[in-house]
PDB file of all heavy atoms in Angstrom:
ATOM      1  N   VAL A 170      15.093   6.074 -17.127  1.00 98.00           N
ATOM      2  CA  VAL A 170      14.669   7.455 -16.757  1.00 98.00           C
ATOM      3  C   VAL A 170      13.238   7.604 -17.193  1.00 98.00           C
ATOM      4  O   VAL A 170      12.976   7.562 -18.402  1.00 98.00           O
ATOM      5  CB  VAL A 170      15.610   8.514 -17.383  1.00 98.00           C
ATOM      6  CG1 VAL A 170      15.147   9.934 -17.036  1.00 98.00           C
ATOM      7  CG2 VAL A 170      17.063   8.336 -17.000  1.00 98.00           C
ATOM      8  N   MET A 171      12.393   7.776 -16.204  1.00 98.00           N
ATOM      9  CA  MET A 171      10.944   7.907 -16.550  1.00 98.00           C
ATOM     10  C   MET A 171      10.510   9.347 -16.614  1.00 98.00           C
ATOM     11  O   MET A 171      10.845  10.196 -15.749  1.00 98.00           O
ATOM     12  CB  MET A 171      10.125   7.225 -15.414  1.00 98.00           C
ATOM     13  CG  MET A 171      10.394   5.791 -15.331  1.00 98.00           C
ATOM     14  SD  MET A 171       9.447   5.001 -13.980  1.00 98.00           S
ATOM     15  CE  MET A 171      10.171   3.356 -14.017  1.00 98.00           C
ATOM     16  N   THR A 172       9.809   9.727 -17.693  1.00 98.00           N
ATOM     17  CA  THR A 172       9.438  11.133 -17.912  1.00 98.00           C
ATOM     18  C   THR A 172       8.027  11.210 -18.399  1.00 98.00           C
ATOM     19  O   THR A 172       7.495  10.237 -18.933  1.00 98.00           O
ATOM     20  CB  THR A 172      10.311  11.857 -18.874  1.00 98.00           C
ATOM     21  OG1 THR A 172       9.900  11.513 -20.251  1.00 98.00           O
ATOM     22  CG2 THR A 172      11.810  11.508 -18.723  1.00 98.00           C
ATOM     23  N   MET A 173       7.474  12.464 -18.310  1.00 98.00           N
ATOM     24  CA  MET A 173       6.138  12.677 -18.979  1.00 98.00           C
ATOM     25  C   MET A 173       6.345  13.517 -20.234  1.00 98.00           C
ATOM     26  O   MET A 173       5.370  14.064 -20.783  1.00 98.00           O
ATOM     27  CB  MET A 173       5.282  13.432 -17.980  1.00 98.00           C
ATOM     28  CG  MET A 173       4.967  12.640 -16.725  1.00 98.00           C
ATOM     29  SD  MET A 173       3.514  13.210 -15.849  1.00 98.00           S
ATOM     30  CE  MET A 173       4.007  14.867 -15.449  1.00 98.00           C
ATOM     31  N   GLY A 174       7.583  13.535 -20.753  1.00 98.00           N
ATOM     32  CA  GLY A 174       7.826  14.300 -21.991  1.00 98.00           C
ATOM     33  C   GLY A 174       8.085  15.747 -21.703  1.00 98.00           C
ATOM     34  O   GLY A 174       8.311  16.196 -20.566  1.00 98.00           O
ATOM     35  N   LEU A 176      10.818  17.342 -22.581  1.00 98.00           N
ATOM     36  CA  LEU A 176      12.140  17.191 -21.936  1.00 98.00           C
ATOM     37  C   LEU A 176      12.869  18.486 -21.903  1.00 98.00           C
ATOM     38  O   LEU A 176      12.824  19.281 -22.828  1.00 98.00           O
ATOM     39  CB  LEU A 176      12.946  16.129 -22.620  1.00 98.00           C
ATOM     40  CG  LEU A 176      12.311  14.732 -22.704  1.00 98.00           C
ATOM     41  CD1 LEU A 176      13.353  13.716 -23.195  1.00 98.00           C
ATOM     42  CD2 LEU A 176      11.798  14.209 -21.393  1.00 98.00           C
ATOM     43  N   HIS A 177      13.631  18.719 -20.828  1.00 98.00           N
ATOM     44  CA  HIS A 177      14.425  19.835 -20.617  1.00 98.00           C
ATOM     45  C   HIS A 177      15.748  19.432 -20.016  1.00 98.00           C
ATOM     46  O   HIS A 177      15.988  18.257 -19.888  1.00 98.00           O
ATOM     47  CB  HIS A 177      13.714  20.907 -19.762  1.00 98.00           C
ATOM     48  CG  HIS A 177      13.189  20.390 -18.423  1.00 98.00           C
ATOM     49  ND1 HIS A 177      14.034  19.926 -17.475  1.00 98.00           N
ATOM     50  CD2 HIS A 177      11.921  20.246 -18.022  1.00 98.00           C
ATOM     51  CE1 HIS A 177      13.229  19.511 -16.439  1.00 98.00           C
ATOM     52  NE2 HIS A 177      11.991  19.637 -16.775  1.00 98.00           N
ATOM     53  N   GLU A 178      16.620  20.396 -19.633  1.00 98.00           N
ATOM     54  CA  GLU A 178      17.898  20.061 -19.129  1.00 98.00           C
ATOM     55  C   GLU A 178      17.852  19.223 -17.832  1.00 98.00           C
ATOM     56  O   GLU A 178      18.800  18.489 -17.639  1.00 98.00           O
ATOM     57  CB  GLU A 178      18.684  21.387 -18.914  1.00 98.00           C
ATOM     58  CG  GLU A 178      20.159  21.290 -18.764  1.00 98.00           C
ATOM     59  CD  GLU A 178      20.839  20.473 -19.871  1.00 98.00           C
ATOM     60  OE1 GLU A 178      20.447  20.556 -21.011  1.00 98.00           O
ATOM     61  OE2 GLU A 178      21.850  19.752 -19.542  1.00 98.00           O
ATOM     62  N   GLY A 179      16.851  19.341 -17.100  1.00 98.00           N
ATOM     63  CA  GLY A 179      16.706  18.464 -15.889  1.00 98.00           C
ATOM     64  C   GLY A 179      16.673  17.018 -16.313  1.00 98.00           C
ATOM     65  O   GLY A 179      17.366  16.117 -15.788  1.00 98.00           O
ATOM     66  N   HIS A 180      15.799  16.705 -17.274  1.00 98.00           N
ATOM     67  CA  HIS A 180      15.641  15.329 -17.754  1.00 98.00           C
ATOM     68  C   HIS A 180      17.028  14.934 -18.392  1.00 98.00           C
ATOM     69  O   HIS A 180      17.458  13.762 -18.202  1.00 98.00           O
ATOM     70  CB  HIS A 180      14.598  15.236 -18.802  1.00 98.00           C
ATOM     71  CG  HIS A 180      13.212  15.561 -18.365  1.00 98.00           C
ATOM     72  ND1 HIS A 180      12.568  16.726 -18.788  1.00 98.00           N
ATOM     73  CD2 HIS A 180      12.377  15.019 -17.511  1.00 98.00           C
ATOM     74  CE1 HIS A 180      11.383  16.798 -18.252  1.00 98.00           C
ATOM     75  NE2 HIS A 180      11.212  15.772 -17.447  1.00 98.00           N
ATOM     76  N   THR A 182      19.928  15.787 -17.694  1.00 98.00           N
ATOM     77  CA  THR A 182      20.944  15.514 -16.687  1.00 98.00           C
ATOM     78  C   THR A 182      20.699  14.130 -16.077  1.00 98.00           C
ATOM     79  O   THR A 182      21.676  13.393 -15.837  1.00 98.00           O
ATOM     80  CB  THR A 182      20.883  16.607 -15.589  1.00 98.00           C
ATOM     81  OG1 THR A 182      21.079  17.886 -16.231  1.00 98.00           O
ATOM     82  CG2 THR A 182      21.934  16.423 -14.496  1.00 98.00           C
ATOM     83  N   LEU A 183      19.474  13.755 -15.828  1.00 98.00           N
ATOM     84  CA  LEU A 183      19.142  12.439 -15.331  1.00 98.00           C
ATOM     85  C   LEU A 183      19.711  11.375 -16.352  1.00 98.00           C
ATOM     86  O   LEU A 183      20.297  10.370 -15.983  1.00 98.00           O
ATOM     87  CB  LEU A 183      17.636  12.252 -15.203  1.00 98.00           C
ATOM     88  CG  LEU A 183      17.038  12.394 -13.813  1.00 98.00           C
ATOM     89  CD1 LEU A 183      17.208  13.843 -13.295  1.00 98.00           C
ATOM     90  CD2 LEU A 183      15.548  12.036 -13.807  1.00 98.00           C
ATOM     91  N   GLN A 204      -2.266   9.972 -12.758  1.00 97.00           N
ATOM     92  CA  GLN A 204      -1.753  10.849 -11.635  1.00 97.00           C
ATOM     93  C   GLN A 204      -2.273  12.269 -11.715  1.00 97.00           C
ATOM     94  O   GLN A 204      -1.789  13.114 -10.983  1.00 97.00           O
ATOM     95  CB  GLN A 204      -0.197  10.816 -11.635  1.00 97.00           C
ATOM     96  CG  GLN A 204       0.478  11.449 -12.831  1.00 97.00           C
ATOM     97  CD  GLN A 204       1.957  11.099 -12.882  1.00 97.00           C
ATOM     98  OE1 GLN A 204       2.371   9.974 -13.129  1.00 97.00           O
ATOM     99  NE2 GLN A 204       2.755  12.120 -12.651  1.00 97.00           N
ATOM    100  N   TYR A 214      -0.932  19.904 -20.875  1.00 97.00           N
ATOM    101  CA  TYR A 214       0.481  19.592 -20.607  1.00 97.00           C
ATOM    102  C   TYR A 214       1.246  19.592 -21.923  1.00 97.00           C
ATOM    103  O   TYR A 214       0.780  19.049 -22.901  1.00 97.00           O
ATOM    104  CB  TYR A 214       0.567  18.200 -19.920  1.00 97.00           C
ATOM    105  CG  TYR A 214       1.881  17.982 -19.261  1.00 97.00           C
ATOM    106  CD1 TYR A 214       2.039  18.371 -17.893  1.00 97.00           C
ATOM    107  CD2 TYR A 214       2.978  17.436 -19.864  1.00 97.00           C
ATOM    108  CE1 TYR A 214       3.245  18.172 -17.243  1.00 97.00           C
ATOM    109  CE2 TYR A 214       4.197  17.257 -19.230  1.00 97.00           C
ATOM    110  CZ  TYR A 214       4.318  17.668 -17.924  1.00 97.00           C
ATOM    111  OH  TYR A 214       5.487  17.473 -17.251  1.00 97.00           O
ATOM    112  N   TYR A 289      16.441   6.383 -12.349  1.00 98.00           N
ATOM    113  CA  TYR A 289      16.938   7.709 -11.923  1.00 98.00           C
ATOM    114  C   TYR A 289      15.789   8.630 -11.774  1.00 98.00           C
ATOM    115  O   TYR A 289      14.969   8.756 -12.729  1.00 98.00           O
ATOM    116  CB  TYR A 289      17.952   8.156 -12.987  1.00 98.00           C
ATOM    117  CG  TYR A 289      19.307   7.489 -12.868  1.00 98.00           C
ATOM    118  CD1 TYR A 289      19.427   6.122 -13.148  1.00 98.00           C
ATOM    119  CD2 TYR A 289      20.417   8.164 -12.399  1.00 98.00           C
ATOM    120  CE1 TYR A 289      20.633   5.442 -13.030  1.00 98.00           C
ATOM    121  CE2 TYR A 289      21.649   7.500 -12.279  1.00 98.00           C
ATOM    122  CZ  TYR A 289      21.712   6.134 -12.582  1.00 98.00           C
ATOM    123  OH  TYR A 289      22.913   5.500 -12.461  1.00 98.00           O
ATOM    124  N   TYR A 290      15.721   9.341 -10.666  1.00 98.00           N
ATOM    125  CA  TYR A 290      14.672  10.329 -10.379  1.00 98.00           C
ATOM    126  C   TYR A 290      15.277  11.638  -9.890  1.00 98.00           C
ATOM    127  O   TYR A 290      16.323  11.642  -9.237  1.00 98.00           O
ATOM    128  CB  TYR A 290      13.652   9.772  -9.419  1.00 98.00           C
ATOM    129  CG  TYR A 290      13.007   8.515  -9.901  1.00 98.00           C
ATOM    130  CD1 TYR A 290      13.524   7.307  -9.557  1.00 98.00           C
ATOM    131  CD2 TYR A 290      11.899   8.554 -10.757  1.00 98.00           C
ATOM    132  CE1 TYR A 290      12.948   6.121 -10.024  1.00 98.00           C
ATOM    133  CE2 TYR A 290      11.312   7.408 -11.216  1.00 98.00           C
ATOM    134  CZ  TYR A 290      11.848   6.183 -10.861  1.00 98.00           C
ATOM    135  OH  TYR A 290      11.304   5.043 -11.355  1.00 98.00           O
ATOM    136  N   GLY A 291      14.569  12.759 -10.132  1.00 98.00           N
ATOM    137  CA  GLY A 291      15.041  14.047  -9.728  1.00 98.00           C
ATOM    138  C   GLY A 291      14.687  14.414  -8.317  1.00 98.00           C
ATOM    139  O   GLY A 291      13.516  14.162  -7.864  1.00 98.00           O
ATOM    140  N   GLN A 292      15.608  15.004  -7.584  1.00 97.00           N
ATOM    141  CA  GLN A 292      15.314  15.559  -6.271  1.00 97.00           C
ATOM    142  C   GLN A 292      14.247  16.666  -6.297  1.00 97.00           C
ATOM    143  O   GLN A 292      13.570  16.960  -5.363  1.00 97.00           O
ATOM    144  CB  GLN A 292      16.631  16.188  -5.704  1.00 97.00           C
ATOM    145  CG  GLN A 292      16.498  16.885  -4.340  1.00 97.00           C
ATOM    146  CD  GLN A 292      16.049  16.036  -3.222  1.00 97.00           C
ATOM    147  OE1 GLN A 292      16.402  14.825  -3.165  1.00 97.00           O
ATOM    148  NE2 GLN A 292      15.269  16.553  -2.336  1.00 97.00           N
ATOM    149  N   LYS A 293      14.089  17.239  -7.494  1.00 98.00           N
ATOM    150  CA  LYS A 293      13.006  18.238  -7.678  1.00 98.00           C
ATOM    151  C   LYS A 293      11.682  17.779  -7.201  1.00 98.00           C
ATOM    152  O   LYS A 293      10.925  18.536  -6.621  1.00 98.00           O
ATOM    153  CB  LYS A 293      12.950  18.556  -9.231  1.00 98.00           C
ATOM    154  CG  LYS A 293      11.733  19.199  -9.746  1.00 98.00           C
ATOM    155  CD  LYS A 293      11.694  20.634  -9.417  1.00 98.00           C
ATOM    156  CE  LYS A 293      10.585  21.467 -10.145  1.00 98.00           C
ATOM    157  NZ  LYS A 293       9.306  20.854 -10.082  1.00 98.00           N
ATOM    158  N   ASP A 294      11.371  16.460  -7.396  1.00 98.00           N
ATOM    159  CA  ASP A 294      10.087  15.906  -6.972  1.00 98.00           C
ATOM    160  C   ASP A 294      10.432  15.021  -5.694  1.00 98.00           C
ATOM    161  O   ASP A 294      10.370  13.796  -5.791  1.00 98.00           O
ATOM    162  CB  ASP A 294       9.467  15.102  -8.040  1.00 98.00           C
ATOM    163  CG  ASP A 294       9.101  16.015  -9.205  1.00 98.00           C
ATOM    164  OD1 ASP A 294       8.075  16.719  -9.178  1.00 98.00           O
ATOM    165  OD2 ASP A 294       9.905  15.978 -10.237  1.00 98.00           O
ATOM    166  N   GLN A 297       7.845  12.452  -4.333  1.00 98.00           N
ATOM    167  CA  GLN A 297       7.774  11.333  -5.274  1.00 98.00           C
ATOM    168  C   GLN A 297       8.968  10.368  -5.165  1.00 98.00           C
ATOM    169  O   GLN A 297       8.859   9.180  -5.110  1.00 98.00           O
ATOM    170  CB  GLN A 297       7.715  11.938  -6.723  1.00 98.00           C
ATOM    171  CG  GLN A 297       7.918  10.902  -7.799  1.00 98.00           C
ATOM    172  CD  GLN A 297       7.783  11.511  -9.179  1.00 98.00           C
ATOM    173  OE1 GLN A 297       6.686  11.858  -9.649  1.00 98.00           O
ATOM    174  NE2 GLN A 297       8.860  11.697  -9.860  1.00 98.00           N
ATOM    175  N   VAL A 317      18.986  12.414  -8.387  1.00 97.00           N
ATOM    176  CA  VAL A 317      19.901  13.417  -9.027  1.00 97.00           C
ATOM    177  C   VAL A 317      19.406  14.856  -8.563  1.00 97.00           C
ATOM    178  O   VAL A 317      18.205  15.142  -8.534  1.00 97.00           O
ATOM    179  CB  VAL A 317      19.745  13.315 -10.606  1.00 97.00           C
ATOM    180  CG1 VAL A 317      20.657  14.372 -11.260  1.00 97.00           C
ATOM    181  CG2 VAL A 317      20.172  11.915 -11.031  1.00 97.00           C
ATOM    182  N   PRO A 318      20.375  15.709  -8.170  1.00 97.00           N
ATOM    183  CA  PRO A 318      20.027  17.024  -7.723  1.00 97.00           C
ATOM    184  C   PRO A 318      19.189  17.840  -8.706  1.00 97.00           C
ATOM    185  O   PRO A 318      19.246  17.592  -9.896  1.00 97.00           O
ATOM    186  CB  PRO A 318      21.369  17.708  -7.485  1.00 97.00           C
ATOM    187  CG  PRO A 318      22.354  16.630  -7.346  1.00 97.00           C
ATOM    188  CD  PRO A 318      21.827  15.473  -8.180  1.00 97.00           C
ATOM    189  N   THR A 319      18.428  18.774  -8.148  1.00 98.00           N
ATOM    190  CA  THR A 319      17.563  19.659  -8.992  1.00 98.00           C
ATOM    191  C   THR A 319      18.437  20.498  -9.899  1.00 98.00           C
ATOM    192  O   THR A 319      19.367  21.154  -9.441  1.00 98.00           O
ATOM    193  CB  THR A 319      16.713  20.521  -8.058  1.00 98.00           C
ATOM    194  OG1 THR A 319      15.959  19.705  -7.244  1.00 98.00           O
ATOM    195  CG2 THR A 319      15.772  21.420  -8.893  1.00 98.00           C
ATOM    196  N   VAL A 320      18.049  20.546 -11.161  1.00 98.00           N
ATOM    197  CA  VAL A 320      18.747  21.419 -12.145  1.00 98.00           C
ATOM    198  C   VAL A 320      17.937  22.726 -12.237  1.00 98.00           C
ATOM    199  O   VAL A 320      16.686  22.647 -12.360  1.00 98.00           O
ATOM    200  CB  VAL A 320      18.854  20.729 -13.533  1.00 98.00           C
ATOM    201  CG1 VAL A 320      19.519  21.609 -14.553  1.00 98.00           C
ATOM    202  CG2 VAL A 320      19.564  19.388 -13.383  1.00 98.00           C
ATOM    203  N   ARG A 321      18.634  23.832 -12.138  1.00 98.00           N
ATOM    204  CA  ARG A 321      18.011  25.139 -12.043  1.00 98.00           C
ATOM    205  C   ARG A 321      18.419  26.037 -13.223  1.00 98.00           C
ATOM    206  O   ARG A 321      19.520  25.865 -13.798  1.00 98.00           O
ATOM    207  CB  ARG A 321      18.351  25.864 -10.762  1.00 98.00           C
ATOM    208  CG  ARG A 321      17.914  25.078  -9.543  1.00 98.00           C
ATOM    209  CD  ARG A 321      18.277  25.677  -8.194  1.00 98.00           C
ATOM    210  NE  ARG A 321      17.714  24.931  -7.140  1.00 98.00           N
ATOM    211  CZ  ARG A 321      16.441  24.908  -6.745  1.00 98.00           C
ATOM    212  NH1 ARG A 321      15.638  25.776  -7.274  1.00 98.00           N
ATOM    213  NH2 ARG A 321      16.032  24.117  -5.854  1.00 98.00           N
ATOM    214  N   ALA A 327      13.735  26.378 -10.590  1.00 98.00           N
ATOM    215  CA  ALA A 327      13.846  24.984 -10.859  1.00 98.00           C
ATOM    216  C   ALA A 327      13.320  24.669 -12.227  1.00 98.00           C
ATOM    217  O   ALA A 327      12.197  25.145 -12.550  1.00 98.00           O
ATOM    218  CB  ALA A 327      13.200  24.166  -9.794  1.00 98.00           C
ATOM    219  N   MET A 328      14.053  23.949 -13.026  1.00 98.00           N
ATOM    220  CA  MET A 328      13.548  23.618 -14.395  1.00 98.00           C
ATOM    221  C   MET A 328      12.307  22.681 -14.227  1.00 98.00           C
ATOM    222  O   MET A 328      12.306  21.804 -13.369  1.00 98.00           O
ATOM    223  CB  MET A 328      14.568  22.947 -15.189  1.00 98.00           C
ATOM    224  CG  MET A 328      15.686  23.907 -15.625  1.00 98.00           C
ATOM    225  SD  MET A 328      16.670  23.200 -16.896  1.00 98.00           S
ATOM    226  CE  MET A 328      17.901  24.531 -17.062  1.00 98.00           C
ATOM    227  N   SER A 329      11.329  22.972 -15.107  1.00 98.00           N
ATOM    228  CA  SER A 329      10.092  22.130 -15.039  1.00 98.00           C
ATOM    229  C   SER A 329       9.453  22.250 -16.375  1.00 98.00           C
ATOM    230  O   SER A 329       9.439  23.360 -16.980  1.00 98.00           O
ATOM    231  CB  SER A 329       9.194  22.666 -13.930  1.00 98.00           C
ATOM    232  OG  SER A 329       7.859  22.164 -14.140  1.00 98.00           O
ATOM    233  N   SER A 330       8.799  21.188 -16.823  1.00 97.00           N
ATOM    234  CA  SER A 330       8.027  21.267 -18.091  1.00 97.00           C
ATOM    235  C   SER A 330       6.940  22.301 -17.936  1.00 97.00           C
ATOM    236  O   SER A 330       6.489  22.895 -18.931  1.00 97.00           O
ATOM    237  CB  SER A 330       7.439  19.889 -18.379  1.00 97.00           C
ATOM    238  OG  SER A 330       8.419  18.902 -18.458  1.00 97.00           O
ATOM    239  N   ARG A 331       6.437  22.471 -16.737  1.00 96.00           N
ATOM    240  CA  ARG A 331       5.330  23.413 -16.496  1.00 96.00           C
ATOM    241  C   ARG A 331       5.794  24.899 -16.563  1.00 96.00           C
ATOM    242  O   ARG A 331       4.959  25.757 -16.642  1.00 96.00           O
ATOM    243  CB  ARG A 331       4.687  23.150 -15.112  1.00 96.00           C
ATOM    244  CG  ARG A 331       3.936  21.794 -15.098  1.00 96.00           C
ATOM    245  CD  ARG A 331       3.060  21.649 -13.842  1.00 96.00           C
ATOM    246  NE  ARG A 331       2.137  20.581 -13.990  1.00 96.00           N
ATOM    247  CZ  ARG A 331       2.365  19.321 -13.559  1.00 96.00           C
ATOM    248  NH1 ARG A 331       3.440  18.963 -12.953  1.00 96.00           N
ATOM    249  NH2 ARG A 331       1.405  18.369 -13.777  1.00 96.00           N
TER     250      ARG A 331
HETATM  251  P1  AMP B 664       8.526  14.699 -15.266  1.00 82.72           P
HETATM  252  O1  AMP B 664       8.669  14.511 -16.701  1.00 82.72           O
HETATM  253  O2  AMP B 664       8.180  16.073 -14.787  1.00 82.72           O
HETATM  254  O3  AMP B 664       7.618  13.631 -14.653  1.00 82.72           O
HETATM  255  O4  AMP B 664       9.972  14.347 -14.665  1.00 82.72           O
HETATM  256  C1  AMP B 664      10.648  13.165 -14.967  1.00 82.72           C
HETATM  257  C2  AMP B 664      11.864  13.078 -14.051  1.00 82.72           C
HETATM  258  O5  AMP B 664      12.713  14.160 -14.230  1.00 82.72           O
HETATM  259  C3  AMP B 664      11.470  12.977 -12.576  1.00 82.72           C
HETATM  260  O6  AMP B 664      12.302  12.078 -11.926  1.00 82.72           O
HETATM  261  C4  AMP B 664      11.748  14.426 -12.146  1.00 82.72           C
HETATM  262  O7  AMP B 664      11.974  14.521 -10.734  1.00 82.72           O
HETATM  263  C5  AMP B 664      12.938  14.758 -12.980  1.00 82.72           C
HETATM  264  N1  AMP B 664      13.091  16.226 -13.042  1.00 82.72           N
HETATM  265  C6  AMP B 664      12.154  17.087 -13.528  1.00 82.72           C
HETATM  266  N2  AMP B 664      12.658  18.379 -13.461  1.00 82.72           N
HETATM  267  C7  AMP B 664      13.892  18.222 -12.925  1.00 82.72           C
HETATM  268  C8  AMP B 664      14.908  19.210 -12.574  1.00 82.72           C
HETATM  269  N3  AMP B 664      14.736  20.533 -12.696  1.00 82.72           N
HETATM  270  N4  AMP B 664      16.049  18.687 -12.036  1.00 82.72           N
HETATM  271  C9  AMP B 664      16.216  17.408 -11.881  1.00 82.72           C
HETATM  272  N5  AMP B 664      15.353  16.479 -12.185  1.00 82.72           N
HETATM  273  C10 AMP B 664      14.151  16.893 -12.674  1.00 82.72           C
END
Side-chain angles (χ1 to χ4, degrees):
V170 175
M171 298 178 187
T172 79
M173 298 199 299
L176 301 190
H177 51 68
E178 194 53 33
H180 300 111
T182 303
L183 262 62
Q204 70 191 67
Y214 200 88
Y289 285 67
Y290 299 94
Q292 173 64 34
K293 161 78 168 48
D294 298 282
Q297 167 178 285
V317 178
T319 302
V320 179
R321 298 179 179 281
M328 289 194 184
S329 164
S330 305
R331 290 188 166 97

